[in-house]
Amino acid sequence: MKKKKVNLRDLNKTSSDTHKRNDAHNQSSAKSIGKFKVYVPAIFSFVMLIIGIAMDYFDVAFFKDWIRIVWYAVAYLPVGFPVIKEGWNSIKNGDFFTEFLLMSIATIGAFAIGEYPEGVAVMLFYAVGELFQSAAVKRAKGSIKALLDVRPNEALVYRDNNYVSVNPETVAIGEKVQVRVGEKIPLDGILLSDKGSFNTAALTGESKPDTIAKGEKVFAGSINLDGVIEVETTKEFKDSSIARILDMVQNATARKSKTELFIRKFARIYTPIVVFLAIGLTFLPYFFVDDYVFRDWLYRALIFLVISCPCALVISIPLGYFGGLGAASRNGILFKGASFLDAMTKVNTVVMDKTGTVTKGVFKIKEVVNTSTFAEAEFMQYLMAMEEQSTHPIAKAILEYKADGADLEATEVSEVAGKGLKGTVNGKTVLVGNKELMTSNSIEVPSETDSIVESIVMVAIDGKFAGYVTIADELKEDAHQAIKQIREAGISKIIMLSGDKDSITQQVSKELSIDWAKGGLLPEDKLNEVEELKKQPETKVAFIGDGINDAPVLAASGVGIAMGGLGSDVAIETADVIIQTDQPSKIARAIKIGRSTRSIVWQNIGLAFGVKVIVLILGAGGLATMWEAVFADVGVALLAILNAVRLQRMKWES
């Protein structure tokens, strides 16, 4: 029997893979143990508190005096010491009035007046609230941090006649990189292989594989799904799309919304006022109440402190915005900050570019009209021979035509500025261009061409009109759906501004039922139109463009939204919101996510203030105990956190 040859390199690779799996398993186990350790102090305190309350309830004989004090002190320290330490550090740093100080004063005060179980309970529930907060923030940031996992950490670069594994940060522009099946593309580049299939879900939010042809762009972070491919790098790692997006998303949380900034400022003013009110509540009744008992009024003041702690506000509001940013990124929408989530809710006028926004920006032949004596294929060969000399996008569309027969070659080709091309093909003089080119060469053009809206390329051969080709840009698959959903989202006015000729712009506008459109605009013309709109009272404008020639308008709008920002450096720099999937239907979803986020934030503000005001009044009047205070503080914080976490489960599909 023939023995199978064993490849030592494969054995080494298998062994290496096994070690990697074992290391990953060990790391996972260590992480699980690490996560559990966080909960140990709270669990210990909870068990001690329950046992202590049970011994109090059954009046256990030995559970008296100093034994009872020590028992509750031991229960208190695991959850109380970190808070007291944090409060002390804050005081040393000059920040006196924090929630840590409030909780420390309230619980130590409870011990001072003999309310040991309540002192432990307040601090325990506060600690549990902090754990909930931490878990919720991690969950909210999960989809954002998941982007870090798509950052490639190695690149196989062709150097010295061999592929070597290096850090992507050391790869230069123009080097050739090999990417195997299942691996991530390490840097932006151009595909050298015939074709490739890629999972771009981490970059665009789209789970459908993306098929790329030779010579087209590929982006760092995309996962290669089919066969070994080669890529020529076009950017350094620090300038790659994934690195830029990561930087943008990580900085997004630093751009606070006005609501967040207000609440933080409010908490800094509110907390010292609460402390002085609690001091007043303790001592002032002495001058106005006949049967003043210091212990009773101190207890009320401690309740007042616990209730008034601004935890629910300080925790739940940033958490709500984290949730909104994370939910948006999962949907292929990147907000550059919480402030733009808020700004999206105020938009009532959407202005959009045409090419690359609602259309694919790729020209295709719509109709070939041949009036010559040649067959259509031969007629097209004359046209294609001329267009091979041009770099215009329309020329590219014409060259995609499949014509039978031998290819022809154009000579003596010259460009007639603003009109077209003139040259010789197969011994015949050929003119290719617009009507002005034809009339200037005394070529009679059929009158029917005057009513054609699409871009038209006319052809004349040996002084006679030979026919024409119409070229049109295709609407994106979801263009109609996008306009419908934007209206359903409550946008009162939709406007189209385009650099394409006005007749085409009006046709697309009519097809999509857009309110008003204007074509033939330069970038500065678009800017002027948007500036005029902004002068109208109550008009909040969002502009959607491709992020390159529309950069001035993106910067000037209330909210600038870039389509296809993944491949556009200018879009990432200029726009406030990036639609990574190039789908205009995501615009309505961005508006809905912004509104959902704002709604939840204001629900939390109303809940926190409403419950606290009620229990504060009851506490000051002696009608609320420390247990009600715990609910008003930690309970409300937990409810607000759970409400904010709802953003992670919401769906905004229409």
Side-chain angles (χ1 to χ4, degrees), residues 267-279:
R268 291 194 174 279
I269 298 167
Y270 164 86
T271 308
I273 291 172
V274 162
V275 171
F276 289 117
L277 284 175
I279 293 169

Side-chain angles (χ1 to χ4, degrees), residues 478-491:
D478 64 335
H480 287 279
Q481 178 191 2
I483 302 301
K484 180 172 175 272
Q485 289 178 354
I486 289 170
R487 290 199 190 282
E488 288 172 352
I491 301 302

